[in-house]
Amino acid sequence: MGTPSISACMEIKDGTHPAKIVLMPGDPLRAKYVAETYLENPVLFNDVRGMLGYTGIYDGEEISVMGSGMGIPSISLYAHELFTQFGVEGIIRIGSAGGVSDDVNVRDVVVAMSASTNSAAPERYGLPGHIAPTADWGMLLKSVEIADQMGVHTAVGSVYSSDFFYYPDPDVAKKEREAGLLAVEMESAGLYTEAMYAHKKALALFTISDHLFKPEHLSPEEIRTSFNEMMEIALKTAAAETRELKG
């Protein structure tokens, strides 16, 4: 039997369960694509509100992939329940991001070491001062080593998790660049904060699909192939982490 459902937004199907390591794209249909393309014998464990989650086998290890929705509130909700109610030990966010640093180019894979944010969510935890949402070092190191072995260029550093896609300040991208941030996206700070307080692991990987200061963007075919590189890094990292958890 599967884990009994005690969550607000998930209902684990009988006989199924999420794996110890879960990959989380924002789009549930991308989760479906990852499951059907990379996992052996993928089994649907959740489809409540269309947020598809699958568990299957990759490189001999059980791995799950599940959509998170867009924004910090959505990913925080799912991450919280996976960490605290369903025995998940690590979540790897996979998605796209807009480049802001001069040192980042379209097609690069960004590994988010930390995530600044304009969201008030991390401050609600009550820690005096400001929380610094940060990735798990072990998973980050694994991902960079795996990318190097694959010959994929990575940029490792800080990203900006914004509550806005259409930001009301037209100069905000310049401020992000001046702060030395690599890219802007919408979820990592929430995921990292949830992991920190659950004493679990989290990592975010991104493919740069466009750049806010360079006339570069990926064609649909380039997006497909470059995203595949990033997803393979995440899958290999998840398998390595699962082996380590098993001892």
Side-chain angles (χ1 to χ4, degrees):
M1 298 291 289
T3 303
S5 176
I6 53 175
S7 72
C9 63
M10 296 171 59
E11 185 175 346
I12 305 301
K13 296 178 180 295
D14 286 347
T16 71
H17 60 273
K20 294 298 184 183
I21 306 295
V22 179
L23 273 57
M24 294 199 85
D27 184 351
L29 293 181
R30 188 168 292 278
K32 184 175 186 288
Y33 169 81
V34 173
E36 293 178 348
T37 303
Y38 293 103
L39 300 184
E40 297 176 29
N41 304 316
V43 175
L44 183 72
F45 68 80
N46 180 76
D47 59 4
V48 175
R49 302 189 184 189
M51 199 58 70
L52 305 176
Y54 298 85
T55 298
I57 303 298
Y58 181 84
D59 194 22
E61 302 297 338
E62 190 175 66
I63 304 295
S64 289
V65 56
M66 178 178 169
S68 71
M70 293 181 66
I72 286 174
S74 186
I75 196 170
S76 296
L77 190 159
Y78 288 108
H80 181 86
E81 294 191 353
L82 288 169
F83 283 143
T84 64
Q85 299 176 27
F86 296 110
V88 170
E89 295 295 329
I91 294 175
I92 302 177
R93 163 98 173 93
I94 54 175
S96 60
V100 293
S101 170
D102 292 337
D103 297 328
V104 169
N105 296 303
V106 166
R107 292 191 69 98
D108 284 353
V109 172
V110 166
V111 183
M113 181 168 56
S114 61
S116 299
T117 185
N118 56 22
S119 172
E123 307 311 319
R124 300 289 75 82
Y125 286 82
L127 182 72
H130 300 280
I131 292 170
T134 308
D136 175 75
W137 169 247
M139 288 207 298
L140 185 148
L141 183 60
K142 287 183 182 74
S143 71
V144 174
E145 291 175 343
I146 287 166
D148 288 344
Q149 293 166 6
M150 292 173 57
V152 178
H153 179 263
T154 58
V156 182
S158 297
V159 300
Y160 190 64
S161 298
S162 178
D163 273 350
F164 294 86
F165 188 87
Y166 299 107
Y167 204 91
D169 178 359
D171 294 323
V172 68
K174 295 178 182 177
K175 297 173 183 178
E176 294 161 0
R177 180 172 64 175
E178 289 168 0
L181 301 173
L182 298 178
V184 60
E185 50 85 49
M186 299 183 70
E187 289 84 20
S188 299
L191 172 61
Y192 286 2
T193 303
E194 287 290 344
M196 290 164 65
Y197 273 86
H199 296 187
K200 298 296 180 76
K201 300 182 178 186
L203 178 66
L205 304 176
F206 302 96
T207 296
I208 299 299
S209 57
D210 63 292
H211 201 290
L212 280 67
F213 298 101
K214 299 178 183 180
E216 302 175 343
H217 66 276
L218 297 182
S219 69
E221 175 63 18
E222 289 171 329
I223 288 175
R224 186 187 68 79
T225 57
S226 58
F227 275 25
N228 285 353
E229 291 178 339
M230 177 267 295
M231 288 187 287
E232 287 185 34
I233 294 168
L235 285 159
K236 291 176 184 293
T237 301
E241 188 66 28
T242 301
R243 283 190 285 270
E244 187 171 295
L245 287 171
K246 288 162 62 175

